[in-house]
Amino acid sequence: IYKVENGDLRTLKSDDGAKPMVSPETLSSFIKWSAAKYPADRYELILWDHGGGSVSGYGYDEKYKNAGSMTLSGINQALKDGNVKFDFVGFDACLMATAETALMLDDYSDYMIASEETEPGIGWYYTNWLSRLSGNTSMSTLEIGKNIIDDFTATCAKQCSGQKTTLSVIDLAEFSNTVPDKLNAFAKGVSTKLSSSEYREVSDARYHAREFAASSQIDQVDLVNLADNLGTSEGTALSQALQGAVKYNRTSSNMTNAYGVSIYFPYRRTSYVEKAADNYEEIGMDGDYADCIRAFARAEQAGQPSSGDLTSLYSLLLGGANRAVSGLPEDALDASRLVWQEDEDGTAKLSLSEEEWESVHSLDLNMFYDDGSGYVDLGWDNVFDFDDDGNLIADTDRTWVAINGQPVAYYHLDTTEDGDDYTITGRVPAKLNGDAVNLLLVFDSDNPDGYIAGAMYDYEDTGVETVAKNMTELSVGDKLDFTCDFYSYDGEFEDSYYLGDPMRVTDDMAVSNVDVGDGAVKLAYRFTDIYNQEYWTTVLDR
């Protein structure tokens, strides 16, 4: 335990024993020790670094890799045992500005300060707000929160261009007194729609809601945006209550529809539903919302064929064909219809009815490059166009995303549009000085050719469900090795594969589209339908 004093760290307790930082007992003992050692009129608590939000909670301890995280019920236990009422509990961590966190914190704090989105690696900027607080210790908690948010968003705008940032202050007393009843009514309304064969309406509202950490598939969306999208009277009432309780909220210019509080709503990974429902029961949430997400998960799963009924992309690469699957809802996509037809000039087109297109949520182009020994998976990109008759036109120009002229594996993550302004983000897997990372690429209205916004270290192999605020900038001289997945000619995954030669980072890294080379390519479009089921078109050889 350290004390910041006169610009230095002074050790107060050098050895507190071997304790996981994700243990509720570790947190509560720190709270009690601090309150006893330094009694005060006002207390603030900030939890730093990894965050996972509604389902996974907070924290990760590198010394205790198997200890998991501190769930919301664990935080609840720690704060209850700590027996201190805080002016604010802040999370200088990713993804913790959730409705579930706010409801849990009500007994222990007046305000919550947290981010809906993943935080850039620099985190909060402490110097200014702490200096102002030390100069006026009677400053209102809301004013403290505004200072924290203003400093954070301003610093991120200067140092983390292209990275999405959010931070909000929530009045927990107002939240707990105005939101729960309206959330329950909203949940009951959604459940009624699902039982009345209105799944598509709910699925569309969920899909188009602002989603956070989409690549991590944690299924957290902005609750105001979700409620507004559904367009019901219950949704409108919930939206208004939420916006009343969020007292201050700022985002980066490339973040839309983020109003300060998110919630878990399944779509990409329904396996978390029961874990979420257990958390809700443990922190005292009413059961209506748990019933709602269970009902949605069941309806989504009903529209997904069993794995044995699916035709995989890799069987299509080997010349297989899509087949229809029986027993699915009428509005599920029929994969056997995803077949290209070539017109007189050789342009490949795909035709679906208007009703069939209404069952499609997203389209992405997959490209595989034949390097003479197998297939290099170049990822997927949101590249598509339609003719005047509404037919999908295949993009067959054999170009792909490149960095300094080197084609790379690129995976589209998100597209945000606000009038004529747009922001497209994607990731490129790589090794940065030997460590696995994903480079974040941004294409926007001001930078249509794109740029590298930073690198996120890849924690996938650790089993960690929380997300580190680990975005870092590249430095001139850093070594980059681009990686991708590689498949044999019989469709078997072989290993990660290095693309091109190692590259040194310069101060003018260029993102572009280039011809992929002399080898043959195989192209297919990935369709994701309203049941979050992925299907691929037949493969085009070019």
Side-chain angles (χ1 to χ4, degrees):
I1 300 176
Y2 297 91
K3 180 182 180 182
V4 180
E5 191 171 58
N6 298 323
D8 293 317
L9 285 177
R10 181 161 67 88
T11 303
L12 300 180
K13 197 165 187 176
S14 61
D15 188 350
D16 199 31
K19 300 176 181 180
M21 291 297 290
V22 293
S23 165
E25 291 75 17
T26 304
L27 176 56
S28 62
S29 66
F30 172 71
I31 292 170
K32 287 184 283 189
W33 184 93
S34 300
K37 190 80 172 178
Y38 296 93
D41 296 323
R42 305 175 68 182
Y43 295 97
E44 337 290 346
L45 175 66
I46 299 172
L47 294 99
W48 178 86
D49 199 26
H50 281 65
S54 306
V55 177
S56 301
Y58 161 80
Y60 167 63
D61 192 326
E62 294 179 1
K63 291 181 68 176
Y64 295 87
K65 297 180 185 295
N66 296 324
S69 57
M70 195 185 313
T71 63
L72 297 186
S73 61
I75 299 172
N76 181 65
Q77 176 189 330
L79 298 183
K80 183 178 181 179
D81 293 345
N83 196 32
V84 169
K85 181 78 174 194
F86 296 97
D87 287 345
F88 75 79
V89 172
F91 292 92
D92 188 359
C94 301
L95 305 164
M96 295 302 295
T98 73
E100 296 94 332
T101 312
L103 291 172
M104 178 274 295
L105 282 180
D106 175 50
D107 288 339
Y108 314 111
S109 182
D110 295 331
Y111 292 88
M112 177 174 80
I113 304 173
S115 171
E116 292 186 90
E117 184 56 281
T118 55
E119 284 193 358
I122 61 172
W124 293 6
Y125 184 74
Y126 287 81
T127 304
N128 286 352
W129 72 266
L130 281 172
S131 297
R132 292 176 190 141
L133 178 59
S134 68
N136 176 17
T137 56
S138 298
M139 180 183 294
S140 72
T141 306
L142 182 56
E143 189 66 24
I144 297 170
K146 288 180 177 180
N147 288 334
I148 290 172
I149 291 172
D150 289 343
D151 288 342
F152 171 73
T153 52
T155 305
C156 288
K158 291 178 182 177
Q159 299 186 23
C160 310
S161 176
Q163 298 179 36
K164 294 183 174 69
T165 55
T166 63
L167 204 61
S168 62
V169 179
I170 298 173
D171 183 324
L172 295 175
E174 182 172 343
F175 195 95
S176 65
N177 282 287
T178 61
V179 170
D181 288 345
K182 294 177 177 62
L183 178 60
N184 292 342
F186 174 75
K188 289 176 181 177
V190 172
S191 297
T192 298
K193 283 184 173 295
L194 294 170
S195 63
S196 303
S197 301
E198 296 181 54
Y199 169 82
R200 183 202 297 273
E201 185 178 344
V202 179
S203 180
D204 285 346
R206 164 60 182 86
Y207 174 73
H208 291 291
R210 163 56 61 190
E211 184 168 358
F212 305 103
S215 62
S216 300
Q217 298 188 344
I218 65 168
D219 280 329
Q220 284 185 194
V221 295
D222 186 88
L223 184 50
V224 170
N225 196 207
L226 175 65
D228 287 343
N229 284 353
L230 207 56
T232 61
S233 59
E234 296 90 351
T236 299
L238 174 59
S239 173
Q240 292 172 348
L242 291 164
Q243 292 181 77
V246 176
K247 296 305 179 183
Y248 196 64
N249 177 52
R250 288 192 63 182
T251 71
S252 55
S253 60
N254 58 353
M255 172 62 76
T256 59
N257 297 322
Y259 296 93
V261 57
S262 62
I263 200 166
Y264 170 75
F265 196 101
Y267 178 76
R268 301 187 185 278
R269 186 164 50 178
T270 56
S271 58
Y272 273 2
V273 167
E274 288 307 317
K275 184 175 180 181
D278 289 344
N279 274 339
Y280 296 165
E281 184 176 358
E282 289 173 1
I283 64 174
M285 277 180 63
D286 289 338
D288 292 320
Y289 190 72
D291 292 341
C292 165
I293 60 175
R294 285 188 177 113
F296 183 83
R298 287 194 299 269
E300 182 179 282
Q301 290 163 354
Q304 298 176 345
S306 65
S307 57
D309 291 330
L310 281 172
T311 303
S312 71
L313 171 61
Y314 307 108
S315 66
L316 293 172
L317 288 173
L318 301 177
N322 280 315
R323 59 182 181 272
V325 179
S326 61
L328 298 181
E330 290 183 2
D331 53 0
L333 200 60
D334 181 356
S336 67
R337 298 271 293 136
L338 304 182
V339 179
W340 298 106
Q341 302 292 335
E342 294 194 8
D343 60 16
E344 294 178 355
D345 65 1
T347 301
K349 297 183 178 182
L350 188 148
S351 177
L352 295 178
S353 68
E354 184 177 343
E355 291 75 17
E356 288 173 314
W357 280 118
E358 288 178 352
S359 294
V360 178
H361 271 168
S362 64
L363 277 175
D364 289 289
L365 171 65
N366 272 139
M367 181 180 288
F368 287 78
Y369 179 78
D370 186 345
D371 74 345
S373 58
Y375 298 120
V376 177
D377 183 354
L378 290 175
W380 56 76
D381 196 0
N382 63 326
V383 178
F384 53 85
D385 200 5
F386 295 87
D387 65 15
D388 293 338
D389 296 322
N391 299 311
L392 176 65
I393 304 172
D395 186 305
T396 57
D397 67 359
R398 294 173 48 87
T399 63
W400 199 251
V401 176
I403 295 178
N404 283 4
Q406 167 62 52
V408 295
Y410 170 82
Y411 297 87
H412 168 239
L413 293 175
D414 180 60
T415 297
T416 298
E417 295 177 316
D418 185 11
D420 294 332
D421 295 329
Y422 69 89
T423 301
I424 300 169
T425 57
R427 67 177 181 90
V428 172
K431 293 288 185 69
L432 176 62
N433 300 321
D435 294 323
V437 298
N438 282 294
L439 304 181
L440 181 70
L441 267 55
V442 176
F443 307 83
D444 58 27
S445 311
D446 297 326
N447 304 275
D449 294 331
Y451 62 94
I452 302 173
M456 298 176 290
Y457 288 96
D458 189 347
Y459 286 84
E460 287 186 0
D461 294 335
T462 65
V464 180
E465 292 182 340
T466 51
V467 180
K469 53 178 179 36
N470 64 4
M471 183 75 76
T472 183
E473 293 181 311
L474 302 183
S475 298
V476 173
D478 283 345
K479 180 184 176 184
L480 281 175
D481 291 283
F482 300 111
T483 60
C484 69
D485 290 339
F486 185 77
Y487 293 84
S488 65
Y489 285 130
D490 60 7
E492 294 295 323
F493 172 74
E494 291 199 343
D495 204 346
S496 294
Y497 186 94
Y498 285 107
L499 274 175
D501 296 324
M503 183 181 298
R504 291 290 176 180
V505 173
T506 64
D507 57 7
D508 59 349
M509 302 292 285
V511 179
S512 61
N513 265 46
V514 302
D515 187 279
V516 293
D518 297 330
V521 298
K522 289 182 177 288
L523 307 168
Y525 276 81
R526 183 184 67 169
F527 282 61
T528 305
D529 74 357
I530 60 174
Y531 293 95
N532 194 40
Q533 182 59 59
E534 296 176 347
Y535 301 96
W536 280 265
T537 64
T538 51
V539 172
L540 295 169
D541 294 292
R542 290 295 187 267

